[in-house]
Amino acid sequence: MTKYQRALQIWSILICAARERKSYTYGEIARILGVGRADFIGTYLGPIMYHCDEVGYPALTVLVVRKDTGCPGEGLITVSEDELDIERERVFKFNWFALEPPQIEDFEETDQA
């Protein structure tokens, strides 16, 4: 499975999380996907982060956090650390289900990793 296919899976998980006003740790996302290792999850989040930034959506990836800090990892570069709470609220309030779901090609086009 490509990283863009994984990104699409994670997109679905995260828009449901946004609706429920919750976040997931990297490890929880890894377990849901059945990939075992949480250290690869950032690779899959990059295309989502860049896509959201490119099209003007809130940073959906702010909902994936480190277990030890409860904050996103250093790879979240589209949101400053002092704006994390504000951005999380934007993600929670955004109507993700009103959007046409992104396609794998959308993630490929906007991925800057």
Side-chain angles (χ1 to χ4, degrees), residues 12-31:
S12 298
I13 293 167
L14 295 181
I15 66 169
C16 290
R19 184 177 183 144
E20 300 298 318
R21 298 185 59 86
K22 69 179 285 187
S23 59
Y24 284 103
T25 66
Y26 290 87
E28 289 170 327
I29 295 291
R31 280 190 290 284

Side-chain angles (χ1 to χ4, degrees), residues 25 65-71:
T25 66
V65 299
R66 292 172 47 126
K67 183 179 178 181
D68 60 341
T69 66
C71 295

Side-chain angles (χ1 to χ4, degrees), residues 4-102:
Y4 304 110
Q5 291 169 322
R6 287 288 188 200
L8 190 54
Q9 289 178 322
I10 294 171
W11 174 278
S12 298
I13 293 167
L14 295 181
I15 66 169
C16 290
R19 184 177 183 144
E20 300 298 318
R21 298 185 59 86
K22 69 179 285 187
S23 59
Y24 284 103
T25 66
Y26 290 87
E28 289 170 327
I29 295 291
R31 280 190 290 284
I32 290 168
L33 296 177
V35 295
R37 293 180 51 188
D39 54 341
F40 291 117
I41 298 304
T43 303
Y44 308 137
L45 294 175
I48 298 170
M49 176 184 68
Y50 290 121
H51 177 71
C52 287
D53 189 54
E54 178 77 20
V55 297
Y57 299 158
L60 187 58
T61 55
V62 76
L63 301 183
V64 184
V65 299
R66 292 172 47 126
K67 183 179 178 181
D68 60 341
T69 66
C71 295
E74 294 176 7
L76 179 63
I77 59 172
T78 58
V79 178
S80 66
E81 189 174 330
D82 59 326
E83 295 181 352
L84 289 175
D85 291 336
I86 293 167
E87 190 67 8
R88 188 175 303 109
E89 280 303 312
R90 286 185 64 222
V91 169
F92 288 155
K93 292 177 181 177
F94 194 78
N95 188 359
W96 296 100
F97 288 94
L99 302 174
E100 183 175 325

